[in-house]
Amino acid sequence: MELTVIQALERGVSAHRAGDLQEAERIYRSILQAHPHHPDANHNLGVLAVSLSKVDAAIPLFKKAVEAN
């Protein structure tokens, strides 16, 4: 069974909240693979990157999220 983008995003957010950052990143990236400008996936991946002190990686993700929104 294939997930919808909304279902995948919900799973990513759940994993993120639970502290499973590796799984959250995997899910966000899989969404972005199919929808590179998805605002929520870009934003959430940016937030995850900031939490890992990867600000340089987060900035382009935040920019894509703002541009797509």
Side-chain angles (χ1 to χ4, degrees):
M1 180 175 99
E2 202 166 306
L3 297 176
T4 67
V5 173
I6 292 171
Q7 291 170 325
L9 188 62
E10 288 172 353
R11 287 189 183 187
V13 169
S14 292
H16 199 159
R17 286 185 179 151
D20 189 352
L21 302 184
Q22 189 173 25
E23 178 66 2
E25 180 178 2
R26 185 191 69 73
I27 293 169
Y28 297 148
R29 289 194 186 281
S30 70
I31 294 168
L32 292 173
Q33 199 168 35
H35 306 280
H37 298 288
H38 192 282
D40 294 325
N42 274 295
H43 174 264
N44 291 356
L45 189 56
V47 170
L48 193 148
V50 168
S51 73
L52 297 173
S53 300
K54 297 180 179 179
V55 177
D56 290 341
I59 291 171
L61 295 166
F62 289 137
K63 284 183 180 179
K64 279 186 187 177
V66 169
E67 289 168 359
N69 218 0

